[in-house]
Amino acid sequence: MYVCICNGITEKQIRSAVAGGANSLQLLRDELGVASQCGSCTDHALSLLEDAPAQAPMPSSLFYSAASPA
């Protein structure tokens, strides 16, 4: 189903972007262009963001310090 008629953005595209890490309307706008024209799709885009399962934070063990040991 089309969510943003102005830019031809579908619900599937928004869900895919959210699954890929877009967790705010600004990130969706940057990635897809949703809600960047008339704004009538904003509420629907926000509801898709809210419906998305929360992504678990990445474990800190995946990261390491780039600083040289003293």
Side-chain angles (χ1 to χ4, degrees):
M1 172 176 127
Y2 281 95
V3 173
C4 178
I5 301 301
C6 296
N7 293 312
I9 300 165
T10 64
E11 188 171 311
K12 183 177 180 180
Q13 288 174 291
I14 292 174
R15 289 188 190 278
S16 177
V18 170
N23 59 4
S24 70
L25 185 61
Q26 183 63 50
L27 289 174
L28 286 176
R29 185 178 296 128
D30 292 346
E31 186 172 333
L32 300 173
V34 69
S36 64
Q37 296 294 316
C38 76
S40 64
C41 60
T42 302
D43 288 340
H44 193 163
L46 286 172
S47 72
L48 292 172
L49 276 170
E50 292 169 2
D51 290 347
Q55 292 183 352
M58 297 181 83
S60 61
S61 63
L62 294 177
F63 303 99
Y64 60 91
S65 175
S68 301

